[in-house]
Amino acid sequence: MGCCGSTQNSKRDWRPLEEHSCTDIPWLLLFILFCVGMGFICGFSIATGAASRLISGYDSYGNVCGQKNAKVEGLVNSGLDHSNRKYVFFLDPCKLDIVNRKIKSMALCVSECPQQELKTLKDLKKFAETNGSHLCDYALTPSQYTTDISSCPKLPVPESAPIPFFHRCAPVNISCYAKFAEALITFVSDNSVLHRLISGVMTSKEIIIGLCFLSLVLSMILMVVIRFISRILVWILTILVILGSLGGTGVLWWMYVEHRKSFNENLPPDQLQVSKDNQQALLIYAIAATIFTVILLLIMLIMRKRVGLTIALFNVAGKVFIHLPLLVFQPFWTFFALLLFWVYWVMVLLFLGTAGDPFINEQGFVEFKINGPLQYMWWYHVVGLIWISEFILACQQMTIAGAVVTYYFTRNKRDLPFTPILASVNRLLRYHLGTVAKGAFIITLVKIPRMILMYIHSQLKGKENACARCMLKSCICCLWCLEKCLTYLNQNAYTATAINSTNFCTSAKDALVILVENALRVATINTVGDFVLFLGKILIVSATGLAGIMLLNYQRDYTVWVLPLIIVCLFAFLVAHCFLSIFEMVVDVLFLCFAIDTKYNDGSPGKEFFMDKVLMEFVENSRRAMKETGSGAEGRELKPMASGTSSA
């Protein structure tokens, strides 16, 4: 169960896809027990009446609307029969407390929501007599609506309509929430501006939908064709880096020379000192930039051969999507699964918010609160949100790793399963759910402290001293970096599990050894590859934005189309990020497979390579260069190790 308890031989050979066995079973059982606990929380919130209070709503005396209620000792006006009063009506619906997520207004159960504005108490009385819906306190009859104004709604009563499924009367005109909207949208000082922006979105909704679909199609196409333009993008990156570093260094030296030429010793003392400081600062900056540029150029010179591996991996990744087209739909399945879980989680959270025993708050209204040990179910529920969300994302990573591993280590591509993705899902469900649960739990252990520190930092904003603020931000930053490193290691551990069917800790150790042995290659792929993918995202956003400008230019029904264009570009970037993240995962899996292939095989009989022809050309070119220049680092990376030659 622990990482130190593995008894497998550290020099064990990699045997791709030769056998399958269940991994990390104790962690699977632990995850199942945790999910049972999540189910218990859901059942508890429903059994304690929270479901009915959430859906049907309740008044300020604790009575659930739309049903007959039991009398609660100590609570005035409890136990009323509201069978004919199905809707919750707030006497002052605009009296919101955003910070504490409360409505500081008396709530009553009514039989009908006011469907037109009621301006006077006479209108309230007429509405009650006509519709039988009393909008003032239960103790008042319609004939008393002219005497006790404090127990009646704030005038004028806005037109309202019931919220579907939740039986709350909500104002149709949301102008009463304007003061809260102003806090979020501070630049809107003229209602006409906001009106034009909203009208622009509404009149161009068909174009927005069409452009969003265009970004989706472009992302799918780019995943296939990026292998043809990756070389161009890499050259663009190289040229930009060289020109940027040389140009920046040259400008600094030019500014230093200009300041030195224009130096005047006859200036006043204060200005003279400032001039000397600026000149010295420019000299320091120029020297630092020169050192940085020299180091950067040396690194690029050393890593220039390894850039070819990145291009080759991109080429093979494009072929993977041709042979495994269902990979393109992985973001959809993952998003759908996450969406279902998040909806369930929010619903249970709302149930918990209305569960528990009644008590009187400071306004004299009835609220519900869970007492005793059960009040800590909130924390359990929050941990469940993180762990299960990470579990779903880890299942996606394991599925992609299994499919790509099957593709790579199948010599004859005609022998591939009919649907490698479904075959990978089948292996995940049968053998590796425990490994996925363990990897997700490790990420959860890092996320929770970071979220706690972020919450503390937000609560203490403006109160803590500079030292404490710096320490908090440093801890948050370190935990974020640790989370990213563990996520990358987890992904490679899932690949190792898909290859050898080993448990999480063994797979993580084996994958880490491979990554350390190929550290320069990993650095090249993660820098050059990430930049190429970033350029791909920019390409999709630019193409979608350009199409949006051309289409929106023909719309004459509104004057402002900035907001529709921003919506389209944000959606295009989100879609491109989701799809190209899948492409990045495929590249990472291919690289680990390639590193294992070159470590344990050398192309001789009995040790033939599994790799694609493109990668084979890269290996041959590297060996040819090694023979011409003598033994080098690249040759040492390609040479099989003794531990892999005896039984690989």
Side-chain angles (χ1 to χ4, degrees):
M1 193 172 184
C3 282
C4 299
S6 177
T7 58
Q8 301 185 31
N9 184 5
S10 61
K11 295 185 178 181
R12 171 189 45 76
D13 295 333
W14 293 75
R15 300 182 179 277
L17 306 176
E18 290 188 6
E19 59 182 13
H20 298 288
S21 60
C22 295
T23 55
D24 296 297
I25 296 178
W27 281 94
L28 176 60
L29 298 177
L30 179 63
F31 182 73
I32 292 174
L33 289 176
F34 184 86
C35 291
V36 171
M38 293 285 289
F40 168 78
I41 293 177
C42 179
F44 170 81
S45 61
I46 295 176
T48 54
S52 60
R53 284 196 288 267
L54 173 65
I55 297 174
S56 300
Y58 60 94
D59 61 15
S60 295
Y61 305 106
N63 301 296
V64 178
C65 300
Q67 69 180 42
K68 187 175 182 179
N69 298 274
K71 178 69 177 178
V72 179
E73 295 296 332
L75 295 181
V76 181
N77 285 337
S78 65
L80 299 179
D81 185 1
H82 287 329
S83 300
N84 297 324
R85 300 171 178 173
K86 299 181 179 180
Y87 304 104
V88 180
F89 175 76
F90 298 99
L91 299 191
D92 189 1
C94 300
K95 196 175 182 181
L96 303 179
D97 185 356
I98 299 296
V99 176
N100 297 314
R101 300 181 298 276
K102 295 179 181 178
I103 298 179
K104 296 180 177 180
S105 169
M106 177 180 286
L108 300 174
C109 292
V110 298
S111 58
E112 187 176 337
C113 299
Q115 298 182 0
Q116 61 183 5
E117 187 180 39
L118 306 177
K119 299 180 179 180
T120 64
L121 290 174
K122 185 177 179 180
D123 292 338
L124 287 177
K125 180 180 178 181
K126 182 178 179 181
F127 178 78
E129 293 174 346
T130 304
N131 301 291
S133 184
H134 300 179
L135 302 184
C136 292
D137 190 77
Y138 301 136
L140 298 178
T141 61
S143 60
Q144 298 174 308
Y145 281 7
T146 57
T147 59
D148 193 347
I149 301 178
S150 61
S151 298
C152 290
K154 182 180 179 180
L155 297 176
V157 179
E159 177 187 355
S160 60
I163 300 176
F165 307 110
F166 287 98
H167 302 87
R168 269 77 167 178
C169 294
V172 175
N173 185 0
I174 61 173
S175 60
C176 64
Y177 307 125
K179 59 181 180 180
F180 304 108
E182 289 175 4
L184 300 176
I185 312 175
T186 55
F187 69 92
V188 178
S189 57
D190 184 5
N191 290 333
S192 61
V193 176
L194 180 61
H195 176 75
R196 291 201 304 270
L197 289 174
I198 295 176
S199 64
V201 174
M202 296 305 297
T203 55
S204 61
K205 55 183 180 297
E206 294 84 3
I207 294 179
I208 293 176
I209 295 174
L211 290 172
C212 292
F213 181 75
L214 174 64
S215 66
L216 189 67
V217 174
L218 290 177
S219 299
M220 293 182 178
I221 295 175
L222 183 62
M223 293 174 71
V224 178
V225 304
I226 196 172
R227 64 192 182 104
F228 299 113
I229 62 175
S230 58
R231 188 178 298 274
I232 299 175
L233 296 178
V234 168
W235 277 111
I236 292 175
L237 168 63
T238 304
I239 294 172
L240 288 177
V241 170
I242 294 175
L243 292 179
S245 58
L246 292 177
T249 304
V251 168
L252 286 172
W253 280 112
W254 173 77
M255 292 178 65
Y256 169 73
V257 172
E258 287 294 320
H259 273 70
R260 190 169 182 178
K261 287 182 178 179
S262 61
F263 182 73
N264 187 2
E265 296 183 354
N266 297 323
L267 292 172
D270 294 340
Q271 296 183 14
L272 182 63
Q273 184 62 37
V274 171
S275 181
K276 288 182 178 180
D277 292 342
N278 289 336
Q279 185 176 335
Q280 185 178 6
L282 283 173
L283 178 61
I284 295 174
Y285 293 154
I287 294 174
T290 302
I291 296 174
F292 172 78
T293 301
V294 171
I295 295 175
L296 182 63
L297 293 177
L298 288 175
I299 292 176
M300 294 183 66
L301 182 65
I302 295 173
M303 300 176 67
R304 71 187 188 281
K305 295 181 179 179
R306 293 167 180 82
V307 173
L309 175 60
T310 304
I311 298 174
L313 288 174
F314 271 61
N315 199 319
V316 177
K319 294 182 180 179
V320 169
F321 283 97
I322 294 176
H323 287 86
L324 311 178
L326 289 181
L327 276 178
V328 177
F329 299 100
Q330 280 303 302
F332 294 106
W333 314 135
T334 304
F335 175 76
F336 182 70
L338 285 173
L339 183 62
L340 287 180
F341 171 68
W342 288 342
V343 169
Y344 161 81
W345 189 87
V346 170
M347 291 300 297
V348 174
L349 183 67
L350 295 175
F351 289 159
L352 285 176
T354 54
D357 301 321
F359 73 99
I360 306 296
N361 63 13
E362 59 272 14
Q363 284 83 28
F365 305 147
V366 174
E367 291 186 1
F368 295 88
K369 183 179 180 180
I370 303 175
N371 299 313
L374 293 177
Q375 62 183 320
Y376 299 108
M377 288 191 300
W378 292 90
W379 290 101
Y380 191 97
H381 197 55
V382 171
V383 173
L385 170 66
I386 302 174
W387 192 3
I388 297 178
S389 297
E390 290 296 329
F391 176 83
I392 295 173
L393 294 174
C395 285
Q396 172 184 262
Q397 294 174 357
M398 179 68 84
T399 300
I400 294 173
V404 177
V405 164
T406 302
Y407 171 86
Y408 187 96
F409 289 107
T410 301
R411 297 186 188 278
N412 188 355
K413 305 308 178 188
R414 296 179 180 178
D415 297 333
L416 285 171
F418 179 70
T419 52
I421 290 290
L422 296 182
S424 179
V425 171
N426 179 55
R427 288 196 300 271
L428 167 63
L429 297 177
R430 291 182 62 184
Y431 302 112
H432 305 314
L433 284 178
T435 298
V436 170
K438 186 174 183 178
F441 182 76
I442 292 175
I443 301 299
T444 304
L445 286 181
V446 180
K447 272 184 177 290
I448 292 176
R450 184 168 67 88
M451 294 177 64
I452 293 175
L453 290 178
M454 291 175 64
Y455 175 76
I456 295 174
H457 183 264
S458 64
Q459 293 297 310
L460 297 179
K461 184 170 290 186
K463 300 178 182 179
E464 78 280 14
N465 56 37
C467 181
R469 183 168 61 252
C470 180
M471 291 180 62
L472 271 176
K473 289 185 176 180
S474 298
C475 292
I476 293 172
C477 181
C478 290
L479 287 174
W480 181 84
C481 294
L482 177 60
E483 179 186 334
K484 294 302 178 183
C485 293
L486 288 176
T487 300
Y488 181 73
L489 181 59
N490 279 9
Q491 181 179 330
N492 286 279
Y494 299 147
T495 303
T497 298
I499 295 174
N500 267 344
S501 198
T502 50
N503 61 51
F504 178 84
C505 291
T506 302
S507 299
K509 180 188 65 176
D510 294 342
L512 183 61
V513 170
I514 295 294
L515 293 176
V516 171
E517 291 176 351
N518 297 269
L520 290 178
R521 288 174 170 176
V522 173
T524 305
I525 293 172
N526 286 333
T527 52
V528 178
D530 287 349
F531 185 80
V532 170
L533 294 178
F534 174 75
L535 290 180
K537 297 173 187 178
I538 297 301
L539 177 63
I540 292 175
V541 174
S542 301
T544 306
L546 179 61
I549 292 175
M550 295 176 64
L551 291 174
L552 293 171
N553 188 44
Y554 292 98
Q555 283 283 349
R556 305 299 182 187
D557 297 334
Y558 55 90
T559 57
V560 179
W561 35 280
V562 175
L563 187 58
L565 197 61
I566 292 176
I567 293 174
V568 168
C569 290
L570 288 177
F571 183 83
F573 183 82
L574 179 63
V575 170
H577 175 74
C578 292
F579 280 92
L580 292 181
S581 295
I582 300 297
F583 190 92
E584 184 179 6
M585 291 182 194
V586 172
V587 171
D588 290 336
V589 175
L590 285 172
F591 169 72
L592 190 64
C593 294
F594 170 78
I596 294 168
D597 196 9
T598 55
K599 179 177 180 179
Y600 289 94
N601 299 307
D602 57 7
S604 60
K607 293 183 181 179
E608 296 84 359
F609 288 121
F610 288 92
M611 65 185 67
D612 188 88
K613 291 182 179 179
V614 177
L615 291 174
M616 190 76 71
E617 291 177 1
F618 169 79
V619 172
E620 294 299 329
N621 293 336
S622 300
R623 286 181 169 177
R624 192 178 302 113
M626 179 192 66
K627 292 179 180 179
E628 293 176 357
T629 60
S631 178
E634 192 72 35
R636 289 194 297 271
E637 288 180 359
L638 290 172
K639 184 178 178 180
M641 297 180 64
S643 60
T645 58
S646 58
S647 57

